[in-house]
Amino acid sequence: QKEVEQNSGPLSVPEGAIASLNCTYSDRGSQSFFWYRQYSGKSPELIMSIYSNGDKEDGRFTAQLNKASQYVSLLIRDSQPSDSATYLCAVKFNKFYFGSGTKLNVKP
Amino acid sequence: DVKVTQSSRYLVKRTGEKVFLECVQDMDHENMFWYRQDPGLGLRLIYFSYDVKMKEKGDIPEGYSVSREKKERFSLILESASTNQTSMYLCASTLVSSNTEAFFGQGTRLTVV
């Protein structure tokens, strides 16, 4: 069974700080990696996707992938209270496999 | 704009009822998925379909079946609803290509009483 592991949190950071979210996966054949944000009672929405080793930046968000270590992370710079949500790591290998999510609280 | 639509946002059913959850996508995606989401357990895959009339069991298929008669529609069926099937159900779709994300419907909060 393919596994995606995340720390469930909650991760608390002050407004303006950098939030760092981490994810490990078990299958070396995994092809694509995604971060989704999910607000309470809502469905997941895509934040970032990353397919090759290294960093990918989009505004305040940076995704990092290290396939050798089977590790993917999401950095959120200048965190805002509106970033408070659960962040889901997803790995695609034909199907999508999701971690259980990390709950992020950004304190004003 | 991409759209995945689930037939109901909230649903209350009685134990033993047969329940149908419908999902429609307008993006011509080959792959469609049904997940359930429970606190602390994340998204767990119930069933996956990669083409019309083609399906594959996910991690927790017991008590569920699916139907995909048309490419755009993927139905989840609870043959005899039980209280432990009370959950949030999420439908998603994606292209076969590996570098494409999953698009989610708005979710159905099912309560079985």
Side-chain angles (χ1 to χ4, degrees):
Chain A
Q1 181 158 345
K2 299 174 180 24
E3 292 184 349
V4 181
E5 301 285 342
Q6 293 180 257
N7 188 321
S8 62
L11 172 66
S12 291
V13 300
E15 183 174 355
I18 295 175
S20 177
L21 305 164
N22 304 313
C23 173
T24 58
Y25 59 95
S26 63
D27 192 337
R28 289 190 175 274
S30 298
Q31 301 156 327
S32 309
F33 307 85
F34 305 87
W35 282 99
Y36 285 82
R37 178 176 63 199
Q38 187 177 26
Y39 293 113
S40 181
K42 302 292 187 183
S43 58
E45 56 179 339
L46 182 72
I47 298 295
M48 292 281 291
S49 59
I50 187 166
Y51 313 119
S52 53
N53 282 328
D55 295 0
K56 179 182 177 183
E57 187 175 316
D58 183 2
R60 295 187 297 113
F61 299 95
T62 298
Q64 300 173 316
L65 175 61
N66 184 325
K67 290 187 177 181
S69 300
Q70 296 174 247
Y71 176 91
V72 59
S73 65
L74 179 71
L75 299 177
I76 306 174
R77 288 181 300 281
D78 188 24
S79 295
Q80 301 297 309
S82 59
D83 294 326
S84 297
T86 297
Y87 289 80
L88 300 169
C89 173
V91 173
K92 188 173 184 179
F93 186 76
N94 298 321
K95 307 172 205 174
F96 279 88
Y97 299 89
F98 288 85
S100 57
T102 298
K103 187 175 175 63
L104 173 66
N105 290 328
V106 181
K107 297 176 289 185
Chain B
D1 201 12
V2 161
K3 202 140 178 123
V4 179
T5 304
Q6 293 182 228
S7 53
S8 303
R9 187 74 179 90
Y10 299 96
L11 213 51
V12 180
K13 295 292 182 180
R14 295 195 180 278
T15 302
E17 276 193 79
K18 191 168 186 175
V19 181
F20 293 85
L21 303 183
E22 307 284 344
C23 176
V24 177
Q25 50 96 0
D26 64 358
M27 298 164 284
D28 203 35
H29 285 172
E30 298 91 352
N31 294 347
M32 296 187 75
F33 310 83
W34 275 106
Y35 294 90
R36 65 175 283 177
Q37 186 175 31
D38 302 288
L41 296 178
L43 274 73
R44 292 182 291 166
L45 182 63
I46 305 171
Y47 266 98
F48 161 56
S49 171
Y50 49 93
D51 202 350
V52 174
K53 296 189 189 291
M54 306 303 285
K55 61 187 178 185
E56 194 173 303
K57 291 180 180 179
D59 299 321
I60 51 164
E62 297 79 18
Y64 303 95
S65 62
V66 290
S67 171
R68 193 165 181 203
E69 297 295 320
K70 293 185 177 182
K71 191 175 184 180
E72 66 269 19
R73 186 180 297 269
F74 190 34
S75 302
L76 180 70
I77 303 155
L78 286 67
E79 298 292 343
S80 177
S82 64
T83 55
N84 62 13
Q85 292 178 309
T86 291
S87 186
M88 168 71 91
Y89 289 87
L90 289 161
C91 174
S93 72
T94 188
L95 292 168
V96 169
S97 166
S98 62
N99 292 356
T100 52
E101 72 265 34
F103 294 88
F104 284 88
Q106 76 275 32
T108 297
R109 172 73 64 182
L110 172 67
T111 303
V112 182
V113 297

PDB file of all heavy atoms in Angstrom, chain B residues 21-47:
ATOM      1  N   LEU B  21     -25.004   8.482  -4.433  1.00  0.00           N
ATOM      2  CA  LEU B  21     -24.315   9.769  -4.511  1.00  0.00           C
ATOM      3  C   LEU B  21     -23.824   9.932  -5.944  1.00  0.00           C
ATOM      4  O   LEU B  21     -23.132   9.064  -6.478  1.00  0.00           O
ATOM      5  CB  LEU B  21     -23.128   9.816  -3.539  1.00  0.00           C
ATOM      6  CG  LEU B  21     -23.434   9.562  -2.056  1.00  0.00           C
ATOM      7  CD1 LEU B  21     -22.169   9.711  -1.228  1.00  0.00           C
ATOM      8  CD2 LEU B  21     -24.512  10.487  -1.555  1.00  0.00           C
ATOM      9  N   GLU B  22     -24.209  11.073  -6.541  1.00  0.00           N
ATOM     10  CA  GLU B  22     -23.893  11.294  -7.950  1.00  0.00           C
ATOM     11  C   GLU B  22     -22.814  12.354  -8.103  1.00  0.00           C
ATOM     12  O   GLU B  22     -22.767  13.330  -7.349  1.00  0.00           O
ATOM     13  CB  GLU B  22     -25.142  11.748  -8.702  1.00  0.00           C
ATOM     14  CG  GLU B  22     -26.356  10.846  -8.534  1.00  0.00           C
ATOM     15  CD  GLU B  22     -26.255   9.590  -9.355  1.00  0.00           C
ATOM     16  OE1 GLU B  22     -25.413   9.532 -10.278  1.00  0.00           O
ATOM     17  OE2 GLU B  22     -27.004   8.633  -9.077  1.00  0.00           O
ATOM     18  N   CYS B  23     -21.996  12.157  -9.125  1.00  0.00           N
ATOM     19  CA  CYS B  23     -20.924  13.108  -9.406  1.00  0.00           C
ATOM     20  C   CYS B  23     -20.830  13.283 -10.916  1.00  0.00           C
ATOM     21  O   CYS B  23     -20.788  12.290 -11.653  1.00  0.00           O
ATOM     22  CB  CYS B  23     -19.610  12.576  -8.857  1.00  0.00           C
ATOM     23  SG  CYS B  23     -18.163  13.592  -9.238  1.00  0.00           S
ATOM     24  N   VAL B  24     -20.782  14.536 -11.356  1.00  0.00           N
ATOM     25  CA  VAL B  24     -20.683  14.833 -12.777  1.00  0.00           C
ATOM     26  C   VAL B  24     -19.535  15.806 -13.003  1.00  0.00           C
ATOM     27  O   VAL B  24     -19.411  16.794 -12.281  1.00  0.00           O
ATOM     28  CB  VAL B  24     -22.002  15.445 -13.309  1.00  0.00           C
ATOM     29  CG1 VAL B  24     -21.850  15.814 -14.783  1.00  0.00           C
ATOM     30  CG2 VAL B  24     -23.155  14.478 -13.118  1.00  0.00           C
ATOM     31  N   GLN B  25     -18.701  15.510 -14.013  1.00  0.00           N
ATOM     32  CA  GLN B  25     -17.621  16.445 -14.377  1.00  0.00           C
ATOM     33  C   GLN B  25     -17.775  16.834 -15.842  1.00  0.00           C
ATOM     34  O   GLN B  25     -18.221  16.049 -16.662  1.00  0.00           O
ATOM     35  CB  GLN B  25     -16.236  15.815 -14.098  1.00  0.00           C
ATOM     36  CG  GLN B  25     -16.036  14.431 -14.670  1.00  0.00           C
ATOM     37  CD  GLN B  25     -15.336  14.364 -15.994  1.00  0.00           C
ATOM     38  OE1 GLN B  25     -14.948  15.390 -16.571  1.00  0.00           O
ATOM     39  NE2 GLN B  25     -15.141  13.148 -16.505  1.00  0.00           N
ATOM     40  N   ASP B  26     -17.368  18.087 -16.128  1.00  0.00           N
ATOM     41  CA  ASP B  26     -17.563  18.605 -17.492  1.00  0.00           C
ATOM     42  C   ASP B  26     -16.243  18.826 -18.210  1.00  0.00           C
ATOM     43  O   ASP B  26     -16.154  19.638 -19.131  1.00  0.00           O
ATOM     44  CB  ASP B  26     -18.378  19.900 -17.439  1.00  0.00           C
ATOM     45  CG  ASP B  26     -17.650  21.026 -16.710  1.00  0.00           C
ATOM     46  OD1 ASP B  26     -16.524  20.798 -16.212  1.00  0.00           O
ATOM     47  OD2 ASP B  26     -18.216  22.129 -16.624  1.00  0.00           O
ATOM     48  N   MET B  27     -15.183  18.083 -17.791  1.00  0.00           N
ATOM     49  CA  MET B  27     -13.845  18.340 -18.317  1.00  0.00           C
ATOM     50  C   MET B  27     -13.337  17.210 -19.207  1.00  0.00           C
ATOM     51  O   MET B  27     -12.172  17.195 -19.583  1.00  0.00           O
ATOM     52  CB  MET B  27     -12.885  18.534 -17.134  1.00  0.00           C
ATOM     53  CG  MET B  27     -13.264  19.720 -16.284  1.00  0.00           C
ATOM     54  SD  MET B  27     -12.436  19.664 -14.690  1.00  0.00           S
ATOM     55  CE  MET B  27     -13.400  18.415 -13.856  1.00  0.00           C
ATOM     56  N   ASP B  28     -14.190  16.241 -19.495  1.00  0.00           N
ATOM     57  CA  ASP B  28     -13.790  15.100 -20.326  1.00  0.00           C
ATOM     58  C   ASP B  28     -12.632  14.317 -19.695  1.00  0.00           C
ATOM     59  O   ASP B  28     -11.765  13.785 -20.397  1.00  0.00           O
ATOM     60  CB  ASP B  28     -13.416  15.562 -21.747  1.00  0.00           C
ATOM     61  CG  ASP B  28     -13.548  14.441 -22.765  1.00  0.00           C
ATOM     62  OD1 ASP B  28     -14.461  13.605 -22.615  1.00  0.00           O
ATOM     63  OD2 ASP B  28     -12.728  14.388 -23.711  1.00  0.00           O
ATOM     64  N   HIS B  29     -12.618  14.254 -18.375  1.00  0.00           N
ATOM     65  CA  HIS B  29     -11.559  13.517 -17.669  1.00  0.00           C
ATOM     66  C   HIS B  29     -11.817  12.015 -17.735  1.00  0.00           C
ATOM     67  O   HIS B  29     -12.949  11.561 -17.584  1.00  0.00           O
ATOM     68  CB  HIS B  29     -11.490  13.954 -16.206  1.00  0.00           C
ATOM     69  CG  HIS B  29     -10.859  15.287 -16.024  1.00  0.00           C
ATOM     70  ND1 HIS B  29     -10.840  15.939 -14.802  1.00  0.00           N
ATOM     71  CD2 HIS B  29     -10.192  16.088 -16.882  1.00  0.00           C
ATOM     72  CE1 HIS B  29     -10.194  17.082 -14.935  1.00  0.00           C
ATOM     73  NE2 HIS B  29      -9.802  17.194 -16.189  1.00  0.00           N
ATOM     74  N   GLU B  30     -10.712  11.264 -17.921  1.00  0.00           N
ATOM     75  CA  GLU B  30     -10.855   9.816 -17.955  1.00  0.00           C
ATOM     76  C   GLU B  30     -11.045   9.225 -16.555  1.00  0.00           C
ATOM     77  O   GLU B  30     -11.797   8.288 -16.351  1.00  0.00           O
ATOM     78  CB  GLU B  30      -9.604   9.165 -18.569  1.00  0.00           C
ATOM     79  CG  GLU B  30      -9.333   9.567 -20.007  1.00  0.00           C
ATOM     80  CD  GLU B  30      -8.426  10.783 -20.121  1.00  0.00           C
ATOM     81  OE1 GLU B  30      -8.114  11.421 -19.086  1.00  0.00           O
ATOM     82  OE2 GLU B  30      -8.031  11.109 -21.252  1.00  0.00           O
ATOM     83  N   ASN B  31     -10.293   9.778 -15.597  1.00  0.00           N
ATOM     84  CA  ASN B  31     -10.259   9.182 -14.261  1.00  0.00           C
ATOM     85  C   ASN B  31     -11.190   9.901 -13.293  1.00  0.00           C
ATOM     86  O   ASN B  31     -11.199  11.134 -13.224  1.00  0.00           O
ATOM     87  CB  ASN B  31      -8.835   9.253 -13.692  1.00  0.00           C
ATOM     88  CG  ASN B  31      -7.857   8.404 -14.470  1.00  0.00           C
ATOM     89  OD1 ASN B  31      -8.252   7.579 -15.280  1.00  0.00           O
ATOM     90  ND2 ASN B  31      -6.582   8.607 -14.215  1.00  0.00           N
ATOM     91  N   MET B  32     -11.920   9.120 -12.543  1.00  0.00           N
ATOM     92  CA  MET B  32     -12.778   9.678 -11.495  1.00  0.00           C
ATOM     93  C   MET B  32     -12.619   8.852 -10.226  1.00  0.00           C
ATOM     94  O   MET B  32     -12.323   7.650 -10.292  1.00  0.00           O
ATOM     95  CB  MET B  32     -14.242   9.718 -11.952  1.00  0.00           C
ATOM     96  CG  MET B  32     -14.455  10.642 -13.146  1.00  0.00           C
ATOM     97  SD  MET B  32     -16.189  10.876 -13.597  1.00  0.00           S
ATOM     98  CE  MET B  32     -16.762  11.976 -12.282  1.00  0.00           C
ATOM     99  N   PHE B  33     -12.811   9.499  -9.101  1.00  0.00           N
ATOM    100  CA  PHE B  33     -12.531   8.899  -7.798  1.00  0.00           C
ATOM    101  C   PHE B  33     -13.659   9.218  -6.812  1.00  0.00           C
ATOM    102  O   PHE B  33     -14.254  10.287  -6.889  1.00  0.00           O
ATOM    103  CB  PHE B  33     -11.245   9.469  -7.180  1.00  0.00           C
ATOM    104  CG  PHE B  33     -10.055   9.477  -8.075  1.00  0.00           C
ATOM    105  CD1 PHE B  33      -9.854  10.495  -8.994  1.00  0.00           C
ATOM    106  CD2 PHE B  33      -9.106   8.474  -7.980  1.00  0.00           C
ATOM    107  CE1 PHE B  33      -8.741  10.513  -9.809  1.00  0.00           C
ATOM    108  CE2 PHE B  33      -7.981   8.484  -8.793  1.00  0.00           C
ATOM    109  CZ  PHE B  33      -7.807   9.510  -9.707  1.00  0.00           C
ATOM    110  N   TRP B  34     -13.862   8.325  -5.883  1.00  0.00           N
ATOM    111  CA  TRP B  34     -14.675   8.604  -4.708  1.00  0.00           C
ATOM    112  C   TRP B  34     -13.824   8.385  -3.454  1.00  0.00           C
ATOM    113  O   TRP B  34     -13.199   7.324  -3.290  1.00  0.00           O
ATOM    114  CB  TRP B  34     -15.901   7.695  -4.637  1.00  0.00           C
ATOM    115  CG  TRP B  34     -17.070   8.199  -5.418  1.00  0.00           C
ATOM    116  CD1 TRP B  34     -17.544   7.725  -6.595  1.00  0.00           C
ATOM    117  CD2 TRP B  34     -17.931   9.288  -5.056  1.00  0.00           C
ATOM    118  NE1 TRP B  34     -18.627   8.445  -7.008  1.00  0.00           N
ATOM    119  CE2 TRP B  34     -18.892   9.412  -6.079  1.00  0.00           C
ATOM    120  CE3 TRP B  34     -17.980  10.173  -3.977  1.00  0.00           C
ATOM    121  CZ2 TRP B  34     -19.895  10.388  -6.044  1.00  0.00           C
ATOM    122  CZ3 TRP B  34     -18.968  11.135  -3.947  1.00  0.00           C
ATOM    123  CH2 TRP B  34     -19.920  11.231  -4.964  1.00  0.00           C
ATOM    124  N   TYR B  35     -13.819   9.418  -2.610  1.00  0.00           N
ATOM    125  CA  TYR B  35     -13.123   9.359  -1.324  1.00  0.00           C
ATOM    126  C   TYR B  35     -14.125   9.602  -0.209  1.00  0.00           C
ATOM    127  O   TYR B  35     -15.142  10.267  -0.394  1.00  0.00           O
ATOM    128  CB  TYR B  35     -12.066  10.459  -1.218  1.00  0.00           C
ATOM    129  CG  TYR B  35     -10.900  10.342  -2.165  1.00  0.00           C
ATOM    130  CD1 TYR B  35     -10.928  10.930  -3.422  1.00  0.00           C
ATOM    131  CD2 TYR B  35      -9.750   9.657  -1.784  1.00  0.00           C
ATOM    132  CE1 TYR B  35      -9.839  10.841  -4.276  1.00  0.00           C
ATOM    133  CE2 TYR B  35      -8.656   9.563  -2.636  1.00  0.00           C
ATOM    134  CZ  TYR B  35      -8.715  10.158  -3.874  1.00  0.00           C
ATOM    135  OH  TYR B  35      -7.636  10.065  -4.718  1.00  0.00           O
ATOM    136  N   ARG B  36     -13.798   9.125   0.973  1.00  0.00           N
ATOM    137  CA  ARG B  36     -14.483   9.580   2.161  1.00  0.00           C
ATOM    138  C   ARG B  36     -13.449  10.202   3.093  1.00  0.00           C
ATOM    139  O   ARG B  36     -12.266   9.804   3.095  1.00  0.00           O
ATOM    140  CB  ARG B  36     -15.275   8.481   2.869  1.00  0.00           C
ATOM    141  CG  ARG B  36     -14.504   7.350   3.457  1.00  0.00           C
ATOM    142  CD  ARG B  36     -15.406   6.386   4.226  1.00  0.00           C
ATOM    143  NE  ARG B  36     -15.793   6.888   5.540  1.00  0.00           N
ATOM    144  CZ  ARG B  36     -16.621   6.256   6.371  1.00  0.00           C
ATOM    145  NH1 ARG B  36     -17.176   5.108   6.022  1.00  0.00           N
ATOM    146  NH2 ARG B  36     -16.922   6.765   7.548  1.00  0.00           N
ATOM    147  N   GLN B  37     -13.893  11.194   3.827  1.00  0.00           N
ATOM    148  CA  GLN B  37     -12.981  11.922   4.696  1.00  0.00           C
ATOM    149  C   GLN B  37     -13.558  11.967   6.100  1.00  0.00           C
ATOM    150  O   GLN B  37     -14.673  12.448   6.314  1.00  0.00           O
ATOM    151  CB  GLN B  37     -12.753  13.342   4.181  1.00  0.00           C
ATOM    152  CG  GLN B  37     -11.691  14.092   4.962  1.00  0.00           C
ATOM    153  CD  GLN B  37     -11.380  15.450   4.359  1.00  0.00           C
ATOM    154  OE1 GLN B  37     -12.243  16.094   3.772  1.00  0.00           O
ATOM    155  NE2 GLN B  37     -10.135  15.892   4.492  1.00  0.00           N
ATOM    156  N   ASP B  38     -12.787  11.462   7.034  1.00  0.00           N
ATOM    157  CA  ASP B  38     -13.169  11.446   8.436  1.00  0.00           C
ATOM    158  C   ASP B  38     -12.076  12.124   9.253  1.00  0.00           C
ATOM    159  O   ASP B  38     -10.894  12.050   8.891  1.00  0.00           O
ATOM    160  CB  ASP B  38     -13.373  10.003   8.901  1.00  0.00           C
ATOM    161  CG  ASP B  38     -14.434   9.275   8.094  1.00  0.00           C
ATOM    162  OD1 ASP B  38     -15.616   9.606   8.284  1.00  0.00           O
ATOM    163  OD2 ASP B  38     -14.079   8.406   7.273  1.00  0.00           O
ATOM    164  N   PRO B  39     -12.448  12.762  10.347  1.00  0.00           N
ATOM    165  CA  PRO B  39     -11.450  13.491  11.160  1.00  0.00           C
ATOM    166  C   PRO B  39     -10.273  12.602  11.541  1.00  0.00           C
ATOM    167  O   PRO B  39     -10.442  11.491  12.035  1.00  0.00           O
ATOM    168  CB  PRO B  39     -12.264  13.910  12.395  1.00  0.00           C
ATOM    169  CG  PRO B  39     -13.672  13.994  11.913  1.00  0.00           C
ATOM    170  CD  PRO B  39     -13.808  12.889  10.898  1.00  0.00           C
ATOM    171  N   GLY B  40      -9.064  13.108  11.285  1.00  0.00           N
ATOM    172  CA  GLY B  40      -7.852  12.393  11.655  1.00  0.00           C
ATOM    173  C   GLY B  40      -7.443  11.282  10.701  1.00  0.00           C
ATOM    174  O   GLY B  40      -6.355  10.733  10.832  1.00  0.00           O
ATOM    175  N   LEU B  41      -8.300  10.971   9.740  1.00  0.00           N
ATOM    176  CA  LEU B  41      -8.000   9.853   8.825  1.00  0.00           C
ATOM    177  C   LEU B  41      -7.710  10.317   7.412  1.00  0.00           C
ATOM    178  O   LEU B  41      -7.355   9.519   6.549  1.00  0.00           O
ATOM    179  CB  LEU B  41      -9.165   8.866   8.812  1.00  0.00           C
ATOM    180  CG  LEU B  41      -9.454   8.168  10.134  1.00  0.00           C
ATOM    181  CD1 LEU B  41     -10.656   7.244   9.992  1.00  0.00           C
ATOM    182  CD2 LEU B  41      -8.235   7.377  10.607  1.00  0.00           C
ATOM    183  N   GLY B  42      -7.872  11.586   7.136  1.00  0.00           N
ATOM    184  CA  GLY B  42      -7.583  12.080   5.802  1.00  0.00           C
ATOM    185  C   GLY B  42      -8.565  11.562   4.771  1.00  0.00           C
ATOM    186  O   GLY B  42      -9.669  11.126   5.089  1.00  0.00           O
ATOM    187  N   LEU B  43      -8.156  11.621   3.519  1.00  0.00           N
ATOM    188  CA  LEU B  43      -8.990  11.136   2.412  1.00  0.00           C
ATOM    189  C   LEU B  43      -8.644   9.671   2.150  1.00  0.00           C
ATOM    190  O   LEU B  43      -7.485   9.345   1.880  1.00  0.00           O
ATOM    191  CB  LEU B  43      -8.745  11.948   1.141  1.00  0.00           C
ATOM    192  CG  LEU B  43      -9.534  13.232   0.965  1.00  0.00           C
ATOM    193  CD1 LEU B  43      -9.007  14.305   1.893  1.00  0.00           C
ATOM    194  CD2 LEU B  43      -9.450  13.701  -0.475  1.00  0.00           C
ATOM    195  N   ARG B  44      -9.643   8.846   2.207  1.00  0.00           N
ATOM    196  CA  ARG B  44      -9.435   7.428   1.919  1.00  0.00           C
ATOM    197  C   ARG B  44     -10.190   7.061   0.645  1.00  0.00           C
ATOM    198  O   ARG B  44     -11.377   7.369   0.511  1.00  0.00           O
ATOM    199  CB  ARG B  44      -9.903   6.577   3.106  1.00  0.00           C
ATOM    200  CG  ARG B  44      -9.042   6.756   4.345  1.00  0.00           C
ATOM    201  CD  ARG B  44      -9.519   5.858   5.472  1.00  0.00           C
ATOM    202  NE  ARG B  44     -10.808   6.286   5.994  1.00  0.00           N
ATOM    203  CZ  ARG B  44     -11.574   5.541   6.785  1.00  0.00           C
ATOM    204  NH1 ARG B  44     -11.188   4.320   7.136  1.00  0.00           N
ATOM    205  NH2 ARG B  44     -12.723   6.013   7.230  1.00  0.00           N
ATOM    206  N   LEU B  45      -9.490   6.378  -0.253  1.00  0.00           N
ATOM    207  CA  LEU B  45     -10.050   6.058  -1.562  1.00  0.00           C
ATOM    208  C   LEU B  45     -11.011   4.871  -1.453  1.00  0.00           C
ATOM    209  O   LEU B  45     -10.636   3.799  -0.978  1.00  0.00           O
ATOM    210  CB  LEU B  45      -8.927   5.731  -2.548  1.00  0.00           C
ATOM    211  CG  LEU B  45      -9.340   5.410  -3.973  1.00  0.00           C
ATOM    212  CD1 LEU B  45     -10.010   6.613  -4.633  1.00  0.00           C
ATOM    213  CD2 LEU B  45      -8.127   4.963  -4.794  1.00  0.00           C
ATOM    214  N   ILE B  46     -12.230   5.082  -1.943  1.00  0.00           N
ATOM    215  CA  ILE B  46     -13.237   4.022  -1.922  1.00  0.00           C
ATOM    216  C   ILE B  46     -13.200   3.242  -3.245  1.00  0.00           C
ATOM    217  O   ILE B  46     -13.045   2.022  -3.263  1.00  0.00           O
ATOM    218  CB  ILE B  46     -14.650   4.602  -1.705  1.00  0.00           C
ATOM    219  CG1 ILE B  46     -14.705   5.458  -0.436  1.00  0.00           C
ATOM    220  CG2 ILE B  46     -15.682   3.480  -1.626  1.00  0.00           C
ATOM    221  CD1 ILE B  46     -16.014   6.227  -0.280  1.00  0.00           C
ATOM    222  N   TYR B  47     -13.341   3.975  -4.343  1.00  0.00           N
ATOM    223  CA  TYR B  47     -13.317   3.380  -5.671  1.00  0.00           C
ATOM    224  C   TYR B  47     -12.723   4.369  -6.661  1.00  0.00           C
ATOM    225  O   TYR B  47     -12.763   5.583  -6.474  1.00  0.00           O
ATOM    226  CB  TYR B  47     -14.726   3.008  -6.147  1.00  0.00           C
ATOM    227  CG  TYR B  47     -15.147   1.592  -5.881  1.00  0.00           C
ATOM    228  CD1 TYR B  47     -15.931   1.288  -4.775  1.00  0.00           C
ATOM    229  CD2 TYR B  47     -14.772   0.557  -6.746  1.00  0.00           C
ATOM    230  CE1 TYR B  47     -16.332  -0.021  -4.523  1.00  0.00           C
ATOM    231  CE2 TYR B  47     -15.170  -0.752  -6.497  1.00  0.00           C
ATOM    232  CZ  TYR B  47     -15.945  -1.033  -5.390  1.00  0.00           C
ATOM    233  OH  TYR B  47     -16.335  -2.321  -5.137  1.00  0.00           O
TER     234      TYR B  47
END
